[in-house]
Amino acid sequence: MFRIVFVLDLYNRNVVHAQGGDRKNYQPVHIKSCICSTSDPVKIIEEIKPKEVYIADLNILQGTSPRNINYETIKQVSSRVTTMLDPGISSVNEALEASSLADTIILGTETASLKTVKEVTSLLPGKVTVSIDKKYGKVLTSDPFMPYDPCEIVHELNALDIQNIIILDMDKVGTSSGVDSQFLSSIVSISHHDVLLGGGIKDFSDIEKLECLGIKGALVATALHNGSIPLHMAWK
């Protein structure tokens, strides 16, 4: 069954509406949402009752606050629903710390080196999902040893005991601009792991298209909040 993973972008313990990767200007999600009247993540989960959620800890990803500012909130969410967490991991110690907060931790190329990805997956086999983060059409990374071609990264990941691969197109986050079928088809054809997509999903027709390509799931926020994708698709 195709997975609709409900996205919670956390900033200062509240959910914000992510759009185009411009994190400084994200607004509280309830302002434009047609499915929730609050930006409190625990209340949102209790109201919507999604099957699984993806949490991005924007305070850490922006480097604006202590690492633990959202930890208690994340624990409350993960005690209620299956949770994937991206807390901007850049080291093995950070990964081990985050592993107690959620069912699955995300290692994103934005913050984690290829060396760290390999070390963490060996210590936490089966508990890690790797996110290939893209911005301006290129892999977002500060690691000189990380391939800039996403397909090369996928080949590296094929040998690792990870849960899934996420293709996260940060330029498309919150834009409802559609999906790149040709690119995604090439990723699916070489990956030994299930591939999920984040960013750009517009409506149910995109979901159908992704299923046909062999994509196993999508990280969705905007299309659920504006009603373009039926909310029941994210329910338990």
Side-chain angles (χ1 to χ4, degrees):
M1 181 179 293
F2 192 87
R3 297 163 59 189
I4 301 292
V5 184
F6 186 49
V7 175
L8 300 175
D9 289 295
L10 286 191
Y11 187 71
N12 290 340
R13 305 182 187 91
N14 285 296
V15 181
V16 295
H17 177 217
Q19 190 168 25
D22 186 13
R23 292 170 177 154
K24 293 181 180 179
N25 293 315
Y26 291 172
Q27 298 296 312
V29 73
H30 76 273
I31 293 176
K32 293 185 178 180
S33 176
C34 68
I35 62 171
C36 63
S37 59
T38 177
S39 292
D40 181 294
V42 176
K43 291 180 180 178
I44 290 174
I45 292 303
E46 291 177 341
E47 289 177 4
I48 295 175
K49 297 179 173 59
K51 185 175 183 179
E52 57 180 321
V53 300
Y54 166 102
I55 295 177
D57 190 326
L58 299 186
N59 287 88
I60 296 177
L61 290 167
Q62 290 184 178
T64 58
S65 312
R67 286 194 65 86
N68 64 354
I69 188 170
N70 293 313
Y71 279 10
E72 186 56 39
T73 300
I74 292 167
K75 287 179 182 178
Q76 291 180 46
V77 171
S78 64
S79 70
R80 291 164 168 80
V81 62
T82 301
T83 303
M84 294 192 287
L85 170 65
D86 182 353
I89 293 168
S90 60
S91 70
V92 172
N93 286 340
E94 289 172 359
L96 295 175
E97 178 184 50
S99 67
S100 64
L101 300 176
D103 300 281
T104 304
I105 57 171
I106 309 295
L107 296 182
T109 60
E110 178 182 3
T111 55
S113 68
L114 189 58
K115 180 175 182 288
T116 298
V117 169
K118 291 179 177 179
E119 290 177 347
V120 172
T121 53
S122 68
L123 291 170
L124 300 170
K127 191 176 173 64
V128 172
T129 285
V130 176
S131 178
I132 299 176
D133 305 324
K134 293 175 57 190
K135 195 168 180 64
Y136 307 127
K138 298 181 179 179
V139 173
L140 186 59
T141 181
S142 58
D143 176 13
F145 299 103
M146 182 76 72
Y148 284 96
D149 181 347
C151 291
E152 290 185 31
I153 298 176
V154 172
H155 282 299
E156 293 273 359
L157 298 177
N158 279 341
L160 305 180
D161 185 1
I162 62 177
Q163 284 193 11
N164 310 285
I165 290 173
I166 295 172
I167 300 296
L168 182 60
D169 195 330
M170 297 178 67
D171 294 320
K172 290 189 173 186
V173 167
T175 65
S176 301
S177 57
V179 301
D180 185 342
S181 297
Q182 185 174 354
F183 168 70
L184 293 172
S185 179
S186 66
I187 294 293
V188 169
S189 69
I190 61 175
S191 178
H192 294 176
H193 303 97
D194 285 354
V195 179
L196 313 179
L197 174 66
I201 293 99
K202 182 179 181 180
D203 52 28
F204 183 69
S205 65
D206 276 346
I207 299 300
E208 292 180 315
K209 187 182 299 182
L210 293 174
E211 283 193 276
C212 289
L213 293 172
I215 298 292
K216 299 300 184 181
L219 313 182
V220 184
T222 300
L224 288 168
H225 284 290
N226 66 24
S228 296
I229 292 177
L231 187 56
H232 70 79
M233 293 188 68
W235 286 347
K236 292 182 180 179

